[in-house]
């Protein structure tokens, strides 16, 4: 046998070994593990569906257009990850918490750093709105003790189903966003509007993919929260409006039963709705 015969030439059966054999021994351990597994699963997928040359071309075109859709305001790859359930899976693996601690869900693309800091009770809606709502509750630890100094960063869509950053010429900057900090009793309360369901941006390749798969682009109505406090894991989550039509078919798989909150009508001057939700934080290890 000559020397050449020992080389791993590429074959259909030996495709994974041929590619992974090229990873140098100097490669960072974690990178080598991740890439070996990626190649293994990618090749298994191609073999499983026996991908045609034409389908491969469609995939390359799709990924190209997905990249071309991205700019500083639009991240089509994150949207792709969201609708494939990848974002929620990464989030679940990285945010395992004991029972009773508030669960995470997807951050989404519409969070903005530097939203206004408000005193408790203030209104985050700068545009007004018909379905006015009081949001309230407590931030606690797993033993039920109040958490003082918890920072609560909130944001939601307008009554037309758009975030302020999607309509910079229509909505005031920081409309329906704000940051609140709890006092010694851990209580929070603020005013705003009842969120509405809305479609994720669906005018790009991800939207086209959803249409081809017979999927709608809607998310059930929700209020976003990031709750952080020194010594505790940060919770990135939403509360969802109970009864929303899209709770069981969220385009990005973000709904968890524990995050569904009821909204009660109230007869209280200008406020039409009230929703209460307690956040339970897990101490950092
Ligand atoms: C959001 O809730 O803001 C969102 C999440 C994922 C994709 C698009 C929007
Ligand atoms: Fe949202």
């Amino acid at each position: 046998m000559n020397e050449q015969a020992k080389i791993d030439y590429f074959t259909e059966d030996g495709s994974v070994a041929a590619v992974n054999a090229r990873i140098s021994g100097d490669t960072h351990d974690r990178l080598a593990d991740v890439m070996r597994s990626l190649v293994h699963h990618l090749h298994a997928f191609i073999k499983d569906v026996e991908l045609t040359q034409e389908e491969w071309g469609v995939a390359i075109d799709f990924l190209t257009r997905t990249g071309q859709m991205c700019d500083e305001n639009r991240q089509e790859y994150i949207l792709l990850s969201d609708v494939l359930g990848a974002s929620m899976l990464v989030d679940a693996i990285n945010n395992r918490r004991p029972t009773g601690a508030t669960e995470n869900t997807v951050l989404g693309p519409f969070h903005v750093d530097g939203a206004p800091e408000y005193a408790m009770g203030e209104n985050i809606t700068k545009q007004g709105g018909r379905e006015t709502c009081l949001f309230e509750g407590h931030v606690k630890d797993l033993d039920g003790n109040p958490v003082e100094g918890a920072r609560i960063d909130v944001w939601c869509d307008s009554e037309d189903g758009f975030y302020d950053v999607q309509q910079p010429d229509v909505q005031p900057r920081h409309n329906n966003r704000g940051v609140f900090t709890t006092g010694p009793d851990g209580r929070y309360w603020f005013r705003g509007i009842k969120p509405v369901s809305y479609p994720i941006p669906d005018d790009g390749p991800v939207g086209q993919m959803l249409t081809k798969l017979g999927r709608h682009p809607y998310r059930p109505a929700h209020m976003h929260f990031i709750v952080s406090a020194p010594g505790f894991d940060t919770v990135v989550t939403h509360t969802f409006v109970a009864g929303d039509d899209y709770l069981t078919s969220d385009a990005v798989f973000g709904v968890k039963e524990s995050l569904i909150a009821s909204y009660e009508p109230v007869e209280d001057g200008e406020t039409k709705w009230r929703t209460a939700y307690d956040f339970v934080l897990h101490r950092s290890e």
Side-chain angles (χ1 to χ4, degrees):
M1 213 199 295
N2 66 24
E3 276 301 299
Q4 290 266 312
K6 289 188 194 136
I7 294 172
D8 272 334
Y9 285 109
F10 192 98
T11 63
E12 186 176 330
D13 285 347
S15 66
V16 174
V19 175
N20 282 343
R22 300 276 177 94
I23 298 175
S24 129
D26 299 335
T27 305
H28 184 276
D29 284 351
R30 175 69 180 163
L31 176 61
D33 285 350
V34 169
M35 288 307 296
R36 270 190 219 106
S37 179
L38 175 67
V39 170
H40 171 83
H41 289 283
L42 177 65
H43 287 216
F45 153 69
I46 293 169
K47 290 173 188 182
D48 182 35
V49 299
E50 300 215 327
L51 202 68
T52 67
Q53 200 75 48
E54 193 192 348
E55 288 162 345
W56 177 86
V58 169
I60 295 294
D61 176 59
F62 174 80
L63 293 173
T64 304
R65 288 187 294 114
T66 299
Q68 287 166 341
M69 196 79 198
C70 295
D71 60 26
E72 69 272 26
N73 298 314
R74 177 77 176 255
Q75 231 305 349
E76 195 75 358
Y77 276 114
I78 295 184
L79 221 47
L80 179 59
S81 161
D82 293 342
V83 302
L84 293 178
S87 305
M88 281 302 289
L89 185 55
V90 172
D91 189 76
I93 289 168
N94 287 279
N95 292 287
R96 294 179 185 128
R97 295 193 183 119
T99 309
T102 302
E103 297 188 276
N104 253 47
T105 190
V106 69
L107 173 67
F110 300 125
H111 177 255
V112 167
D113 284 330
E117 308 243 354
Y118 290 120
M120 285 302 173
E122 285 196 66
N123 198 330
I124 60 169
T125 300
K126 295 185 166 192
Q127 205 180 27
R130 288 180 305 277
E131 305 303 315
T132 48
C133 184
L134 171 69
F135 297 80
E136 62 178 338
H138 289 85
V139 183
K140 304 174 184 172
D141 66 15
L142 270 166
D143 298 319
N145 303 308
V147 176
E148 180 177 5
R151 190 175 187 277
I152 306 179
D153 190 341
V154 302
W155 67 105
C156 77
D157 60 345
S158 69
E159 284 188 339
D160 295 330
F162 293 101
Y163 289 85
D164 57 346
V165 288
Q166 292 177 287
Q167 293 186 310
D169 301 330
V170 176
Q171 296 188 43
R173 186 160 180 251
H174 294 145
N175 190 32
N176 297 313
R177 307 179 177 273
V179 176
F180 299 85
T181 304
T182 58
D185 59 0
R187 184 169 176 239
Y188 77 88
W189 73 103
F190 64 90
R191 287 168 207 285
I193 52 162
K194 189 179 175 202
V196 298
S197 52
Y198 63 85
I200 61 168
D202 64 345
D203 55 343
V206 171
Q208 289 161 6
M209 184 187 86
L210 291 180
T211 304
K212 284 207 167 8
L213 295 176
R215 286 176 55 179
H216 69 72
Y218 280 86
R219 297 217 63 206
H222 55 273
M223 174 64 85
H224 289 261
F225 290 86
I226 299 178
V227 185
S228 56
F232 292 92
D233 287 351
T234 295
V235 175
V236 177
T237 199
H238 326 335
T239 58
F240 292 92
V241 178
D244 190 283
D245 286 347
Y246 297 107
L247 283 176
T248 53
S249 63
D250 182 359
V252 305
F253 304 96
V255 181
K256 292 180 178 174
E257 202 172 358
S258 68
L259 300 176
I260 299 173
S262 61
Y263 281 64
E264 272 121 39
V266 287
E267 305 291 327
D268 172 21
E270 289 173 15
T271 303
K272 282 177 75 174
W273 298 94
R274 170 187 172 270
T275 180
Y277 194 89
D278 288 345
F279 295 93
V280 181
L281 304 188
H282 174 231
R283 285 191 192 277
S284 320
E285 266 131 39

Short mmCIF file of all heavy atoms in Angstrom, two decimals, residues 161-207:
data_model
loop_
_atom_site.label_atom_id
_atom_site.label_comp_id
_atom_site.label_asym_id
_atom_site.label_seq_id
_atom_site.Cartn_x
_atom_site.Cartn_y
_atom_site.Cartn_z
N GLY A 161 -49.50 48.09 17.67
CA GLY A 161 -48.67 46.89 17.53
C GLY A 161 -47.25 47.16 17.06
O GLY A 161 -46.62 46.27 16.48
N PHE A 162 -46.74 48.37 17.31
CA PHE A 162 -45.35 48.69 16.93
C PHE A 162 -44.58 49.22 18.13
O PHE A 162 -45.13 49.98 18.94
CB PHE A 162 -45.32 49.76 15.83
CG PHE A 162 -45.89 49.30 14.53
CD1 PHE A 162 -47.17 49.68 14.15
CD2 PHE A 162 -45.15 48.48 13.67
CE1 PHE A 162 -47.71 49.25 12.94
CE2 PHE A 162 -45.68 48.06 12.47
CZ PHE A 162 -46.96 48.42 12.10
N TYR A 163 -43.28 48.89 18.19
CA TYR A 163 -42.41 49.49 19.20
C TYR A 163 -41.98 50.87 18.70
O TYR A 163 -41.92 51.11 17.49
CB TYR A 163 -41.19 48.59 19.44
CG TYR A 163 -41.57 47.31 20.18
CD1 TYR A 163 -42.04 46.20 19.49
CD2 TYR A 163 -41.51 47.25 21.56
CE1 TYR A 163 -42.42 45.05 20.15
CE2 TYR A 163 -41.88 46.10 22.24
CZ TYR A 163 -42.34 45.00 21.53
OH TYR A 163 -42.73 43.88 22.21
N ASP A 164 -41.61 51.74 19.64
CA ASP A 164 -41.19 53.10 19.26
C ASP A 164 -40.07 53.07 18.22
O ASP A 164 -40.07 53.84 17.25
CB ASP A 164 -40.75 53.90 20.50
CG ASP A 164 -39.62 53.24 21.30
OD1 ASP A 164 -39.34 52.04 21.06
OD2 ASP A 164 -39.02 53.92 22.16
N VAL A 165 -39.11 52.11 18.39
CA VAL A 165 -37.96 52.08 17.48
C VAL A 165 -38.35 51.66 16.06
O VAL A 165 -37.59 51.87 15.12
CB VAL A 165 -36.84 51.15 18.01
CG1 VAL A 165 -36.15 51.79 19.21
CG2 VAL A 165 -37.38 49.76 18.37
N GLN A 166 -39.53 51.07 15.90
CA GLN A 166 -40.00 50.70 14.56
C GLN A 166 -40.67 51.88 13.87
O GLN A 166 -40.86 51.84 12.65
CB GLN A 166 -41.03 49.55 14.65
CG GLN A 166 -40.45 48.22 15.11
CD GLN A 166 -41.54 47.18 15.24
OE1 GLN A 166 -42.36 47.22 16.16
NE2 GLN A 166 -41.58 46.25 14.30
N GLN A 167 -41.03 52.89 14.65
CA GLN A 167 -41.75 54.04 14.08
C GLN A 167 -41.15 55.34 14.61
O GLN A 167 -41.84 56.13 15.27
CB GLN A 167 -43.22 53.98 14.51
CG GLN A 167 -44.00 52.83 13.94
CD GLN A 167 -45.48 52.95 14.30
OE1 GLN A 167 -45.82 53.15 15.46
NE2 GLN A 167 -46.34 52.86 13.31
N PRO A 168 -39.86 55.58 14.33
CA PRO A 168 -39.23 56.77 14.91
C PRO A 168 -39.88 58.07 14.47
O PRO A 168 -39.77 59.08 15.17
CB PRO A 168 -37.77 56.67 14.42
CG PRO A 168 -37.79 55.71 13.27
CD PRO A 168 -38.96 54.80 13.47
N ASP A 169 -40.58 58.07 13.34
CA ASP A 169 -41.23 59.31 12.88
C ASP A 169 -42.68 59.42 13.36
O ASP A 169 -43.34 60.43 13.10
CB ASP A 169 -41.22 59.38 11.34
CG ASP A 169 -39.81 59.33 10.81
OD1 ASP A 169 -38.90 59.82 11.52
OD2 ASP A 169 -39.61 58.77 9.70
N VAL A 170 -43.17 58.39 14.00
CA VAL A 170 -44.58 58.38 14.44
C VAL A 170 -44.68 58.45 15.96
O VAL A 170 -45.48 59.22 16.50
CB VAL A 170 -45.28 57.08 13.93
CG1 VAL A 170 -46.70 56.99 14.46
CG2 VAL A 170 -45.25 56.99 12.40
N GLN A 171 -43.86 57.66 16.64
CA GLN A 171 -43.96 57.60 18.11
C GLN A 171 -42.86 58.43 18.76
O GLN A 171 -41.73 58.48 18.25
CB GLN A 171 -43.81 56.16 18.61
CG GLN A 171 -44.91 55.22 18.16
CD GLN A 171 -44.78 53.86 18.85
OE1 GLN A 171 -44.52 53.75 20.03
NE2 GLN A 171 -44.98 52.80 18.08
N PRO A 172 -43.15 59.03 19.92
CA PRO A 172 -42.08 59.71 20.65
C PRO A 172 -41.01 58.70 21.07
O PRO A 172 -41.32 57.54 21.31
CB PRO A 172 -42.78 60.28 21.89
CG PRO A 172 -44.23 60.08 21.70
CD PRO A 172 -44.44 59.08 20.61
N ARG A 173 -39.75 59.17 21.13
CA ARG A 173 -38.65 58.31 21.59
C ARG A 173 -38.96 57.79 22.99
O ARG A 173 -39.48 58.54 23.82
CB ARG A 173 -37.37 59.14 21.57
CG ARG A 173 -36.13 58.36 21.87
CD ARG A 173 -34.90 59.10 21.36
NE ARG A 173 -33.72 58.30 21.67
CZ ARG A 173 -32.82 58.63 22.59
NH1 ARG A 173 -32.95 59.77 23.25
NH2 ARG A 173 -31.80 57.85 22.82
N HIS A 174 -38.68 56.53 23.24
CA HIS A 174 -38.91 55.90 24.55
C HIS A 174 -40.38 55.79 24.92
O HIS A 174 -40.72 55.67 26.10
CB HIS A 174 -38.13 56.63 25.66
CG HIS A 174 -36.64 56.52 25.49
ND1 HIS A 174 -35.76 57.53 25.82
CD2 HIS A 174 -35.87 55.50 25.04
CE1 HIS A 174 -34.52 57.14 25.57
NE2 HIS A 174 -34.56 55.91 25.09
N ASN A 175 -41.26 55.84 23.92
CA ASN A 175 -42.68 55.59 24.19
C ASN A 175 -42.84 54.16 24.69
O ASN A 175 -42.30 53.22 24.08
CB ASN A 175 -43.47 55.79 22.89
CG ASN A 175 -44.97 55.80 23.12
OD1 ASN A 175 -45.45 56.23 24.18
ND2 ASN A 175 -45.72 55.32 22.14
N ASN A 176 -43.56 53.96 25.74
CA ASN A 176 -43.83 52.63 26.32
C ASN A 176 -42.57 51.90 26.78
O ASN A 176 -42.46 50.67 26.60
CB ASN A 176 -44.63 51.75 25.34
CG ASN A 176 -45.99 52.33 25.04
OD1 ASN A 176 -46.70 52.72 25.96
ND2 ASN A 176 -46.34 52.42 23.77
N ARG A 177 -41.63 52.67 27.34
CA ARG A 177 -40.43 52.08 27.95
C ARG A 177 -40.10 52.82 29.23
O ARG A 177 -40.31 54.03 29.31
CB ARG A 177 -39.16 52.26 27.10
CG ARG A 177 -39.21 51.85 25.73
CD ARG A 177 -37.91 52.11 25.01
NE ARG A 177 -38.10 51.58 23.68
CZ ARG A 177 -37.87 50.33 23.35
NH1 ARG A 177 -37.34 49.51 24.22
NH2 ARG A 177 -38.13 49.90 22.13
N GLY A 178 -39.47 52.11 30.14
CA GLY A 178 -39.03 52.80 31.35
C GLY A 178 -38.30 51.85 32.29
O GLY A 178 -38.32 50.64 32.10
N VAL A 179 -37.63 52.46 33.27
CA VAL A 179 -36.87 51.69 34.27
C VAL A 179 -37.33 52.14 35.65
O VAL A 179 -37.44 53.34 35.92
CB VAL A 179 -35.35 51.95 34.11
CG1 VAL A 179 -34.57 51.24 35.19
CG2 VAL A 179 -34.88 51.52 32.72
N PHE A 180 -37.61 51.17 36.52
CA PHE A 180 -38.08 51.43 37.88
C PHE A 180 -37.18 50.68 38.86
O PHE A 180 -36.65 49.62 38.51
CB PHE A 180 -39.54 50.95 38.05
CG PHE A 180 -40.48 51.66 37.14
CD1 PHE A 180 -40.68 51.21 35.82
CD2 PHE A 180 -41.15 52.80 37.55
CE1 PHE A 180 -41.54 51.88 34.95
CE2 PHE A 180 -42.01 53.48 36.69
CZ PHE A 180 -42.20 53.02 35.38
N THR A 181 -37.04 51.20 40.07
CA THR A 181 -36.20 50.52 41.07
C THR A 181 -37.02 50.33 42.34
O THR A 181 -37.64 51.28 42.84
CB THR A 181 -34.94 51.36 41.37
OG1 THR A 181 -34.26 51.58 40.12
CG2 THR A 181 -33.99 50.62 42.30
N THR A 182 -37.01 49.10 42.86
CA THR A 182 -37.83 48.80 44.03
C THR A 182 -37.22 49.39 45.30
O THR A 182 -36.00 49.50 45.44
CB THR A 182 -37.99 47.28 44.23
OG1 THR A 182 -36.68 46.70 44.36
CG2 THR A 182 -38.75 46.64 43.10
N GLY A 183 -38.09 49.70 46.26
CA GLY A 183 -37.68 50.11 47.61
C GLY A 183 -37.62 48.90 48.53
O GLY A 183 -37.66 47.75 48.05
N PRO A 184 -37.54 49.13 49.85
CA PRO A 184 -37.38 48.03 50.80
C PRO A 184 -38.50 46.99 50.75
O PRO A 184 -38.28 45.83 51.10
CB PRO A 184 -37.38 48.73 52.17
CG PRO A 184 -37.10 50.16 51.89
CD PRO A 184 -37.54 50.46 50.49
N ASP A 185 -39.72 47.39 50.34
CA ASP A 185 -40.83 46.41 50.31
C ASP A 185 -40.84 45.58 49.03
O ASP A 185 -41.68 44.70 48.86
CB ASP A 185 -42.18 47.13 50.48
CG ASP A 185 -42.44 48.17 49.39
OD1 ASP A 185 -41.57 48.35 48.50
OD2 ASP A 185 -43.50 48.81 49.43
N GLY A 186 -39.91 45.85 48.10
CA GLY A 186 -39.83 45.08 46.85
C GLY A 186 -40.98 45.32 45.90
O GLY A 186 -41.09 44.67 44.86
N ARG A 187 -41.84 46.30 46.23
CA ARG A 187 -43.05 46.49 45.41
C ARG A 187 -42.74 47.34 44.17
O ARG A 187 -41.91 48.25 44.23
CB ARG A 187 -44.13 47.16 46.27
CG ARG A 187 -45.42 47.30 45.54
CD ARG A 187 -46.60 47.71 46.42
NE ARG A 187 -47.72 47.88 45.51
CZ ARG A 187 -48.42 49.00 45.35
NH1 ARG A 187 -48.16 50.05 46.08
NH2 ARG A 187 -49.39 49.06 44.45
N TYR A 188 -43.42 47.03 43.08
CA TYR A 188 -43.35 47.90 41.90
C TYR A 188 -44.75 48.21 41.42
O TYR A 188 -45.68 47.42 41.63
CB TYR A 188 -42.52 47.24 40.77
CG TYR A 188 -43.25 46.16 40.01
CD1 TYR A 188 -44.04 46.46 38.90
CD2 TYR A 188 -43.18 44.82 40.40
CE1 TYR A 188 -44.72 45.47 38.20
CE2 TYR A 188 -43.85 43.83 39.72
CZ TYR A 188 -44.62 44.16 38.62
OH TYR A 188 -45.32 43.18 37.95
N TRP A 189 -44.92 49.35 40.83
CA TRP A 189 -46.17 49.69 40.16
C TRP A 189 -45.92 50.81 39.19
O TRP A 189 -45.14 51.71 39.46
CB TRP A 189 -47.30 50.00 41.16
CG TRP A 189 -47.22 51.31 41.89
CD1 TRP A 189 -47.94 52.45 41.64
CD2 TRP A 189 -46.38 51.62 43.02
NE1 TRP A 189 -47.58 53.43 42.53
CE2 TRP A 189 -46.64 52.96 43.39
CE3 TRP A 189 -45.43 50.90 43.75
CZ2 TRP A 189 -45.99 53.59 44.44
CZ3 TRP A 189 -44.78 51.53 44.81
CH2 TRP A 189 -45.06 52.85 45.14
N PHE A 190 -46.50 50.67 38.02
CA PHE A 190 -46.37 51.73 37.02
C PHE A 190 -47.57 51.68 36.09
O PHE A 190 -48.31 50.69 36.06
CB PHE A 190 -45.05 51.59 36.22
CG PHE A 190 -44.93 50.33 35.39
CD1 PHE A 190 -45.36 50.29 34.08
CD2 PHE A 190 -44.37 49.17 35.94
CE1 PHE A 190 -45.23 49.13 33.31
CE2 PHE A 190 -44.24 48.02 35.18
CZ PHE A 190 -44.67 47.99 33.87
N ARG A 191 -47.75 52.77 35.35
CA ARG A 191 -48.88 52.84 34.43
C ARG A 191 -48.40 52.77 32.99
O ARG A 191 -47.27 53.16 32.69
CB ARG A 191 -49.68 54.13 34.64
CG ARG A 191 -50.47 54.10 35.91
CD ARG A 191 -51.05 55.44 36.33
NE ARG A 191 -51.20 55.46 37.77
CZ ARG A 191 -52.16 54.81 38.43
NH1 ARG A 191 -53.10 54.15 37.76
NH2 ARG A 191 -52.21 54.84 39.74
N GLY A 192 -49.27 52.27 32.14
CA GLY A 192 -48.95 52.19 30.72
C GLY A 192 -50.22 51.80 29.98
O GLY A 192 -51.32 52.15 30.43
N ILE A 193 -50.04 51.10 28.88
CA ILE A 193 -51.22 50.61 28.16
C ILE A 193 -51.15 49.09 28.06
O ILE A 193 -50.06 48.51 28.13
CB ILE A 193 -51.33 51.21 26.74
CG1 ILE A 193 -50.01 51.01 25.97
CG2 ILE A 193 -51.75 52.67 26.78
CD1 ILE A 193 -50.16 51.17 24.49
N LYS A 194 -52.32 48.48 27.90
CA LYS A 194 -52.39 47.02 27.74
C LYS A 194 -51.76 46.68 26.39
O LYS A 194 -52.19 47.21 25.35
CB LYS A 194 -53.86 46.61 27.78
CG LYS A 194 -54.10 45.14 27.86
CD LYS A 194 -55.60 44.88 27.92
CE LYS A 194 -55.85 43.39 27.88
NZ LYS A 194 -57.19 43.08 27.41
N PRO A 195 -50.72 45.83 26.37
CA PRO A 195 -50.07 45.51 25.08
C PRO A 195 -51.03 44.76 24.15
O PRO A 195 -52.01 44.17 24.61
CB PRO A 195 -48.90 44.60 25.47
CG PRO A 195 -48.84 44.58 26.96
CD PRO A 195 -50.14 45.10 27.51
N VAL A 196 -50.71 44.80 22.86
CA VAL A 196 -51.53 44.06 21.87
C VAL A 196 -50.62 43.07 21.12
O VAL A 196 -49.40 43.24 21.07
CB VAL A 196 -52.21 45.01 20.85
CG1 VAL A 196 -53.18 45.95 21.55
CG2 VAL A 196 -51.19 45.80 20.03
N SER A 197 -51.24 42.04 20.53
CA SER A 197 -50.48 41.09 19.72
C SER A 197 -49.99 41.80 18.45
O SER A 197 -50.61 42.77 18.00
CB SER A 197 -51.33 39.87 19.36
OG SER A 197 -52.55 40.29 18.80
N TYR A 198 -48.86 41.34 17.90
CA TYR A 198 -48.29 42.00 16.72
C TYR A 198 -47.48 40.99 15.91
O TYR A 198 -47.01 39.99 16.47
CB TYR A 198 -47.41 43.20 17.13
CG TYR A 198 -46.20 42.81 17.94
CD1 TYR A 198 -45.01 42.41 17.32
CD2 TYR A 198 -46.23 42.83 19.33
CE1 TYR A 198 -43.91 42.03 18.07
CE2 TYR A 198 -45.13 42.45 20.08
CZ TYR A 198 -43.97 42.05 19.44
OH TYR A 198 -42.89 41.67 20.18
N PRO A 199 -47.29 41.26 14.62
CA PRO A 199 -46.45 40.36 13.82
C PRO A 199 -44.97 40.71 13.99
O PRO A 199 -44.62 41.89 14.06
CB PRO A 199 -46.90 40.63 12.39
CG PRO A 199 -47.42 42.03 12.42
CD PRO A 199 -47.91 42.32 13.80
N ILE A 200 -44.10 39.72 14.07
CA ILE A 200 -42.67 40.00 14.02
C ILE A 200 -42.38 40.54 12.60
O ILE A 200 -43.18 40.31 11.68
CB ILE A 200 -41.82 38.75 14.33
CG1 ILE A 200 -42.08 37.63 13.31
CG2 ILE A 200 -42.08 38.27 15.75
CD1 ILE A 200 -41.07 36.50 13.41
N PRO A 201 -41.27 41.25 12.41
CA PRO A 201 -41.00 41.80 11.06
C PRO A 201 -41.01 40.65 10.03
O PRO A 201 -40.21 39.72 10.14
CB PRO A 201 -39.61 42.43 11.22
CG PRO A 201 -39.50 42.74 12.69
CD PRO A 201 -40.25 41.64 13.39
N ASP A 202 -41.93 40.72 9.08
CA ASP A 202 -42.12 39.57 8.17
C ASP A 202 -41.98 39.97 6.70
O ASP A 202 -42.48 39.28 5.81
CB ASP A 202 -43.46 38.87 8.43
CG ASP A 202 -44.64 39.76 8.14
OD1 ASP A 202 -44.46 40.99 8.01
OD2 ASP A 202 -45.77 39.23 8.04
N ASP A 203 -41.28 41.09 6.45
CA ASP A 203 -41.10 41.55 5.07
C ASP A 203 -39.76 41.08 4.49
O ASP A 203 -39.31 41.61 3.47
CB ASP A 203 -41.18 43.09 5.02
CG ASP A 203 -40.18 43.75 5.97
OD1 ASP A 203 -39.68 43.05 6.88
OD2 ASP A 203 -39.90 44.95 5.80
N GLY A 204 -39.13 40.11 5.11
CA GLY A 204 -37.84 39.60 4.61
C GLY A 204 -37.91 38.10 4.40
O GLY A 204 -38.99 37.49 4.41
N PRO A 205 -36.73 37.46 4.21
CA PRO A 205 -36.69 36.02 3.94
C PRO A 205 -37.33 35.18 5.04
O PRO A 205 -37.96 34.15 4.74
CB PRO A 205 -35.20 35.71 3.85
CG PRO A 205 -34.47 36.98 3.91
CD PRO A 205 -35.42 38.11 4.14
N VAL A 206 -37.24 35.60 6.31
CA VAL A 206 -37.85 34.81 7.39
C VAL A 206 -39.37 34.81 7.25
O VAL A 206 -40.02 33.77 7.38
CB VAL A 206 -37.39 35.33 8.77
CG1 VAL A 206 -38.18 34.68 9.90
CG2 VAL A 206 -35.90 35.07 8.96
N GLY A 207 -39.93 35.98 6.93
CA GLY A 207 -41.38 36.08 6.69
C GLY A 207 -41.80 35.19 5.53
O GLY A 207 -42.84 34.51 5.58
#
